[in-house]
Amino acid sequence: MAAAGLLLVSCASDDGVASGGSDSASFGTVGYIGFSVQLPNATTPSLPTRSNDEYNDGAAEEYAVKSGKVLFFKGGNEATAKFIQAQNIIDPTTGWNNDGSTKVTSTKTAVAKLDNVTFDPAEFLFAYVVLNYEGTALATNPAANTPFEDYSKQVLAAAQTGGSLEGAISSNGLLMTNAPISDKQGGSVKPEGANITLAAVLDNSLIKPTKAEAEAAPAGCIYVERATAKVTLEVTATATQIDMVDESSNKLALSTGDIAWQIINTESNFYNGRQANVDAWLPYINPGATNDNSKYRFVSNALFSPQVGGTHKDAYRTYFAMDPAYTTDYTGASAALTLNKPVATDAAENWLSPYAEEAGKRAYVPENTFPTQYQTSRNTTQATIRVKFNNGTDFYTISNDALYYTKANAQNKVAAKLMADYEVNQKMTAAATWLAGQTGVTAPVTGSLTVEITGTEAGEVAYTVTPSFTDGASVNYTLADITDGTVSSAVTTAITTAQGDNVVNLYKDGYAYYNVRIKHFGDVETPWSPSGAYVTKPGTTTEQIYKVSDANYGDNYFLGRYSIVRDNWYKLSITGITKLGSATPPTVKGDPTPDDEIEQEYYISAHVHILPWVIRNQSISF
């Protein structure tokens, strides 16, 4: 899925397979191996891509390279190859952009020195590039003979991506490591027998005795991606009001220019290199995909782009990952997935502005993925969106009433609703009848309720209800004047019960909140409807419906519908707001709501773009 953050290209051959065995170079104390490096640009790949892939360079600082090294591993296969040595690939005098280019995209030729390395006939040379490693655990090289699989699964804290949820980039830059690539095409074609590699195989027959010779004969291609995902929010909605009205038929106004957002429920760790469950994922298909290029969704049908130094015919993007907590289901309030931003406090510094290429208007988010059976709200990274209504003035709502109120009007409306409740009305009438039967009371006696809202914090607020009675002579009585405990307690019980059906919410300063679960494949590769997803059952022509939670079809059709994967730009676009959100940020901790169900109370219309950064577009409409 990741659009490669960096490309180390210039290939020795079209098949990209290094030669091992007796043909391997024989060199003395020192040998050199060369390769070209290119930062990605927005060039369209030569083959059609899936319909939700877009390309965008992003900000220049997201491509900055402050430090860089290549780590070499030697062995018969990627998993068991042992670490032998590391080599700096940044020239301290020229830095990274040594071609004189002032653009974001820039090429570089690198040559690494190898010391005292020999190869058995069945051994290969594997290369793993780490950029912007300062300030991370990757600044320290692995111990000698560390297997590559162990090194690539080294777990790092989220902060070590080099980015933050507030969009700031460390002075050391965004961490980048090798991207897993496939040697077989996917998309519209089943990637039969595809080999997915994370460590690049270099042609060890091209180890040269001098730097100049190594530079002239590059030994392989290495594709590098950022270790973090990126999320932004833009507002394209033009609506200036929603259809919720007050008692004077004035509509509740909103300003689409007064919207803020933040990321919640993020993973706390990430792997050194992106991990993929290749054997299980490659054959997954969704026959309901609207774009033929998106059917086999875990491998792209397009080559990496741009192509430099020759055409590398078998380097295709891969599109998903397993994070360190992939099979963990966060069920409780104390779950490890945390609300990184305590949105309930509504602290001003927690909120980001809509999209622009600057800190405070973007977020760098750690990878968060999960299997289909854990595809629930409590596991999904989300954006909480805050929208200001009513010119920033407090207002109230009452349960499912389609009106909003001032405090005084809300109190009067609740009183009227309670008096209209059957049980309350009956018990109040019984109390009035009891009073009317007392000596000295002039009949008839009538009852009424007074409501006072006492709560002052956003969300559901407390209110008191005071029953009162009056007779024909305008003499007033309270519930305390009814000495029959059965009658008075019946009134209190009925009112308390009715209050549960008449919940008052305070929208403090006019703020309403919406949560948006961030989609990875979304509706293109994993299409669905509120009742499930429309797909054709294998071996039949009958269109049937399968839900995300369906054990037989869930992973095949829906794995990756929701997730965050590194080196993807999830661009949320609010296209419409039609209903009122929550008075406080909705909680997700322990929320078991499956991702294949839609909340009906309110809806935000959004489009998720995913950007080289590949953009994942997501439209949002409330």
Side-chain angles (χ1 to χ4, degrees):
M1 112 147 279
L6 293 170
L7 307 180
L8 299 171
V9 254
S10 189
C11 309
S13 64
D14 282 347
D15 60 13
V17 178
S19 59
S22 59
D23 291 341
S24 299
S26 174
F27 57 93
T29 303
V30 174
Y32 296 90
I33 194 162
F35 41 82
S36 296
V37 180
Q38 173 149 350
L39 304 184
N41 63 22
T43 303
T44 303
S46 57
L47 293 176
T49 61
R50 58 193 69 208
S51 60
N52 70 332
D53 278 4
E54 298 180 21
Y55 297 85
N56 189 295
D57 283 328
E61 61 182 325
E62 295 167 349
Y63 291 78
V65 178
K66 308 297 183 66
S67 60
K69 60 184 175 181
V70 57
L71 287 76
F72 292 109
F73 295 78
K74 185 182 73 164
N77 61 69
E78 176 181 300
T80 62
K82 303 297 194 298
F83 173 70
I84 53 174
Q85 66 180 72
Q87 175 71 45
N88 179 39
I89 57 173
I90 302 294
D91 187 326
T93 60
T94 61
W96 180 258
N97 294 320
N98 63 352
D99 62 351
S101 172
T102 59
K103 301 185 301 181
V104 169
T105 53
S106 167
T107 59
K108 172 186 175 65
T109 300
V111 174
K113 181 178 71 172
L114 292 168
D115 297 315
N116 300 315
V117 179
T118 58
F119 296 88
D120 292 333
E123 287 186 322
F124 297 93
L125 180 64
F126 297 88
Y128 190 73
V129 169
V130 183
L131 302 178
N132 298 331
Y133 53 77
E134 296 293 351
T136 77
L138 301 187
T140 301
N141 294 331
N145 296 317
T146 297
F148 176 73
E149 183 174 38
D150 293 350
Y151 180 69
S152 70
K153 288 184 176 179
Q154 181 179 355
V155 175
L156 292 84
Q160 295 186 63
T161 63
S164 73
L165 295 180
E166 294 79 22
I169 296 177
S170 163
S171 60
N172 296 316
L174 294 178
L175 179 67
M176 306 179 199
T177 60
N178 280 32
I181 63 170
S182 171
D183 63 355
K184 293 288 193 303
Q185 176 185 345
S188 60
V189 178
K190 186 176 182 179
E192 295 278 5
N195 181 36
I196 311 296
T197 56
L198 179 59
V201 184
L202 299 186
D203 187 343
N204 56 31
S205 70
L206 293 176
I207 299 173
K208 303 295 183 180
T210 68
K211 283 186 177 182
E213 289 176 280
E215 188 173 10
C221 305
I222 306 174
Y223 300 84
V224 184
E225 63 189 10
R226 303 169 188 84
T228 179
K230 176 180 176 178
V231 180
T232 59
L233 178 81
E234 63 181 14
V235 181
T236 58
T238 58
T240 57
Q241 61 188 20
I242 62 174
D243 291 334
M244 196 168 195
V245 298
D246 66 13
E247 291 180 305
S248 302
S249 296
N250 295 316
K251 291 189 175 183
L252 187 60
L254 67 93
S255 169
T256 55
D258 198 349
I259 293 176
W261 65 286
Q262 59 186 271
I263 293 295
I264 63 169
N265 219 38
T266 62
E267 179 58 276
S268 56
N269 298 301
F270 68 99
Y271 283 125
N272 173 345
R274 179 158 57 95
Q275 304 298 312
N277 188 2
V278 178
D279 291 339
W281 297 344
L282 287 181
Y284 288 176
I285 184 174
N286 196 322
T290 56
N291 178 6
D292 188 58
N293 295 328
S294 302
K295 285 190 174 181
Y296 293 96
R297 63 189 181 277
F298 292 96
V299 177
S300 175
N301 67 315
L303 297 169
F304 275 97
S305 178
Q307 299 295 316
V308 177
T311 301
H312 194 290
K313 294 181 179 179
D314 42 17
Y316 298 90
R317 301 183 191 282
T318 56
Y319 281 81
F320 200 52
M322 297 176 68
D323 75 8
Y326 182 75
T327 56
T328 303
D329 188 14
Y330 297 102
T331 58
S334 60
L337 276 182
T338 59
L339 293 172
N340 284 311
K341 293 288 142 190
V343 295
T345 63
D346 198 23
E349 65 271 20
N350 289 343
W351 296 98
L352 307 180
S353 299
Y355 174 64
E357 281 293 9
E358 57 190 77
K361 299 184 179 181
R362 63 193 180 199
Y364 295 106
V365 183
E367 206 160 59
N368 179 23
T369 62
F370 32 80
T372 301
Q373 66 266 36
Y374 296 152
Q375 198 160 279
T376 59
S377 186
R378 64 190 174 214
N379 294 323
T380 308
T381 294
Q382 306 185 32
T384 294
I385 299 171
R386 186 186 70 184
V387 181
K388 183 181 287 187
F389 291 88
N390 203 35
N391 295 317
T393 302
D394 291 357
F395 66 91
Y396 298 80
T397 61
I398 305 168
S399 294
N400 295 321
D401 198 331
L403 300 175
Y404 73 96
Y405 303 91
T406 62
K407 183 176 182 179
N409 286 345
Q411 292 175 156
N412 293 336
K413 185 67 173 180
V414 170
K417 284 177 172 288
L418 293 176
M419 279 300 295
D421 179 87
Y422 177 80
E423 286 297 321
V424 173
N425 186 276
Q426 292 297 303
K427 305 310 179 188
M428 286 289 288
T429 299
T433 300
W434 185 91
L435 282 167
Q438 305 308 300
T439 302
V441 175
T442 302
V445 174
T446 58
S448 62
L449 299 175
T450 301
V451 169
E452 181 182 1
I453 295 174
T454 57
T456 59
E457 298 299 322
E460 183 178 341
V461 289
Y463 60 89
T464 60
V465 183
T466 304
S468 61
F469 304 88
T470 185
D471 65 11
S474 299
V475 177
N476 298 322
Y477 303 91
T478 68
L479 203 59
D481 294 319
I482 300 177
T483 58
D484 187 324
T486 300
V487 174
S488 60
S489 64
V491 171
T492 301
T493 299
I495 289 174
T496 301
T497 301
Q499 282 184 270
D501 295 326
N502 292 277
V503 174
V504 178
N505 277 286
L506 166 59
Y507 284 76
K508 189 76 172 176
D509 299 321
Y511 285 130
Y513 301 85
Y514 305 80
N515 274 6
V516 176
R517 304 171 192 174
I518 297 178
K519 297 176 182 177
H520 179 62
F521 289 127
D523 296 335
V524 177
E525 288 87 357
T526 53
W528 66 298
S529 72
S531 60
Y534 292 94
V535 296
T536 303
K537 185 176 180 180
T540 74
T541 57
T542 304
E543 191 166 74
Q544 300 188 23
I545 298 175
Y546 300 105
K547 299 187 75 174
V548 169
S549 55
D550 189 299
N552 294 321
Y553 297 96
D555 278 351
N556 198 356
Y557 298 140
F558 304 110
L559 178 62
R561 175 172 171 77
Y562 293 88
S563 280
I564 291 283
V565 178
R566 69 182 71 189
D567 208 40
N568 282 260
W569 179 350
Y570 298 86
K571 192 175 182 181
L572 309 180
S573 300
I574 297 179
T575 57
I577 301 175
T578 58
K579 295 183 180 179
L580 187 63
S582 301
T584 57
T587 60
V588 298
K589 297 272 257 187
D591 182 356
T593 304
D595 282 342
D596 58 348
E597 293 182 10
I598 297 178
E599 298 84 352
Q600 299 298 324
E601 292 78 13
Y602 56 82
Y603 206 76
I604 185 169
S605 188
H607 188 60
V608 180
H609 306 264
I610 306 182
L611 307 162
W613 307 88
V614 172
I615 301 178
R616 301 284 164 192
N617 293 299
Q618 183 172 329
S619 294
I620 309 168
S621 179
F622 297 115

